[in-house]
Amino acid sequence: MENKHKVQCYAAPLEGITGYIYRNAHHKFFHGVDKYFTPFVTPKPKKGLNTREKNDILPEHNQDIVVVPQILTNKSEDFIKVAQMMGELGYKEVNLNLGCPSGTVVSKKKGSGFLSDLDGMKAFFDEVFSGVNLAVSVKTRLGMEKPEEIKDLISLYNQFPISEVIIHARVREDYYKNPVNYEAFAEGFPQSIHPVCYNGDIFCAQDVQEVTKRFSKLSAVMVGRGMIANPQLTESFDCAGDKSLEFSKKDIDYARWKAFLDELCYGYEYIMSGGRNVLFKLKEVWSYMIPLFPECEKYGKKIKKAKTVAEYHTVVNALFREAGVQ
Ligand SMILES: Cc1cc2nc3c(=O)[nH]c(=O)nc-3n(C[C@H](O)[C@H](O)[C@H](O)COP(=O)(O)O)c2cc1C
């Protein structure tokens, strides 16, 4: 039987990219995202959050969007303090980062580094769930070293009232490169008593179709790089499971993409001092998006070389003219 259920779609947190300027611009021009997760904030003992982190979660910067702040820590008291602050700001859910693979994070037993310390995690959750009164979801990998670790991790998550388990179907050692491990995901996820969201390498509607067919009880799918590459991607998920949807370049609404990119540029110019910082942000987004444009190699190089925001606009306007947008 065909799976007619419209799966919920979450926008993944991507540190350095999906801050509030990006989330607002995306939400203004594209639909299909049910929840946006913020890049992680890292509470510092005594100091709390820094200005950039505070700005990212301020309610006035996140109006009319469903946003879930993500927290990276292995200290329950820090987590509880920040979660309480999020609750006071009006957030209904916070998410614990158990996936970050970066060496400096893992060496401190945070992010995916925490996954190798089941006892430490148990103590952490014991305290967190007696101290917070808002929903807590986790974003986990299959394990630190081996994908089979997911079974013990799920057993641990089952002991606590976690609102949702988002599983990036890789282990820490895979970083973002090695193929996702569907088999290990398939073995681990049915054991969960909590709703499970799938994450990893969703780049087109067919990927969602495959994942939701294969794992029919998923609560949601989360998309990261696929959505940065194609901000229109989540719109093609509306009929996931109904029919095969071949998203091709001819379906791209380049006029909307241009309006979105202009909004991003204005947004960054408004909050950042200096064109260099603005360009850095825009170039990072373009590094994901450029393959979906005509003459992408030529224009990709020109965008990279742009030294000023004015130069950037000249190149980008020419590229959109190639794509049929005046
Ligand atoms: C540049 C970059 C930054 C990321 N930052 C975060 C983050 O702040 N928190 C997090 O949980 N995951 C982070 N991730 C992981 C993504 O949320 C996601 O789990 C991963 O990219 C796999 O999904 P995808 O294949 O759809 O991109 C990041 C990934 C990338 C590439």
Side-chain angles (χ1 to χ4, degrees):
M1 208 176 80
E2 271 194 310
N3 171 23
K4 302 259 184 203
H5 150 83
K6 150 97 173 72
V7 74
Q8 290 262 304
C9 174
Y10 300 160
L14 273 83
E15 212 248 320
I17 302 176
T18 61
Y20 74 97
I21 297 289
Y22 187 96
R23 295 195 295 272
N24 282 288
H26 187 270
H27 180 71
K28 180 168 172 182
F29 292 100
F30 302 101
H31 59 85
V33 173
D34 297 292
K35 278 184 194 176
Y36 291 85
F37 285 70
T38 73
F40 61 79
V41 297
T42 41
K44 327 278 172 311
K46 296 204 178 105
K47 286 191 188 149
L49 304 185
N50 65 31
T51 311
R52 182 185 51 76
E53 292 172 332
K54 279 185 196 151
N55 269 326
D56 199 43
I57 47 98
L58 276 180
E60 54 266 43
H61 291 163
N62 293 284
Q63 279 171 7
D64 308 322
I65 329 180
V66 181
V67 171
V68 178
Q70 187 188 62
I71 305 171
L72 174 81
T73 185
N74 58 6
K75 299 212 165 33
S76 52
E77 63 273 25
D78 292 343
F79 187 93
I80 292 168
K81 212 158 115 191
V82 173
Q84 268 164 351
M85 185 185 106
M86 301 297 182
E88 280 157 23
L89 292 173
Y91 290 100
K92 304 274 181 280
E93 174 186 344
V94 288
N95 178 263
L96 173 68
N97 180 318
L98 291 171
C100 182
S102 133
T104 48
V105 168
V106 168
S107 63
K108 290 181 200 138
K109 287 213 167 169
K110 294 188 208 170
S112 61
F114 206 3
L115 299 177
S116 61
D117 179 11
L118 290 178
D119 291 341
M121 279 171 77
K122 186 174 181 320
F124 174 91
F125 285 129
D126 270 331
E127 284 167 25
V128 160
F129 285 103
S130 45
V132 295
N133 53 6
L134 69 173
V136 177
S137 57
V138 298
K139 180 163 176 283
T140 180
R141 289 194 179 229
L142 295 169
M144 171 77 177
E145 285 173 355
K146 297 197 191 96
E148 303 83 65
E149 292 169 33
I150 190 62
K151 292 183 191 155
D152 289 340
L153 289 169
I154 296 281
S155 303
L156 176 71
Y157 302 146
N158 281 347
Q159 294 169 40
F160 298 94
I162 290 170
S163 63
E164 189 166 25
V165 179
I166 301 162
I167 305 176
H168 177 190
R170 288 188 170 92
V171 295
R172 184 260 172 167
E173 303 292 320
D174 293 327
Y175 287 80
Y176 299 109
K177 282 207 179 103
N178 292 341
V180 286
N181 192 328
Y182 282 138
E183 287 68 34
F185 182 88
E187 285 196 16
F189 113 92
Q191 295 174 22
S192 177
I193 60 167
H194 305 304
V196 172
C197 166
Y198 171 88
N199 170 238
D201 286 6
I202 287 186
F203 294 106
C204 60
Q206 284 85 341
D207 293 339
V208 173
Q209 208 172 21
E210 192 181 325
V211 161
T212 51
K213 247 188 194 163
R214 200 161 168 176
F215 314 119
S216 63
K217 296 219 163 63
L218 289 179
S219 54
V221 293
M222 174 178 266
V223 280
R225 292 162 298 176
M227 190 185 101
I228 309 302
N230 172 3
Q232 212 180 314
L233 178 67
T234 52
E235 298 184 356
S236 60
F237 297 171
D238 286 355
C239 6
D242 271 4
K243 57 184 177 181
S244 169
L245 270 173
E246 189 74 45
F247 186 92
S248 70
K249 285 190 187 176
K250 74 175 167 35
D251 299 314
I252 297 178
D253 183 352
Y254 282 117
R256 236 177 342 137
W257 287 38
K258 181 167 188 308
F260 162 69
L261 284 156
D262 284 346
E263 180 94 1
L264 264 191
C265 183
Y266 299 142
Y268 290 135
E269 279 185 308
Y270 189 71
I271 63 162
M272 287 174 159
S273 57
R276 271 173 66 107
N277 296 330
V278 173
L279 281 176
F280 181 82
K281 286 280 186 199
L282 294 168
K283 286 179 186 184
E284 183 156 21
V285 173
W286 270 104
S287 70
Y288 289 88
M289 290 178 88
I290 194 72
L292 282 172
F293 280 80
E295 303 211 41
C296 56
E297 269 186 35
K298 181 175 111 187
Y299 281 98
K301 277 187 197 149
K302 286 187 174 184
I303 291 173
K304 252 193 207 159
K305 279 191 191 155
K307 292 219 164 46
T308 63
V309 175
E311 238 176 273
Y312 162 86
H313 281 305
T314 307
V315 178
V316 167
N317 289 343
L319 175 54
F320 275 108
R321 275 196 299 278
E322 296 267 9
V325 180
Q326 290 312 310

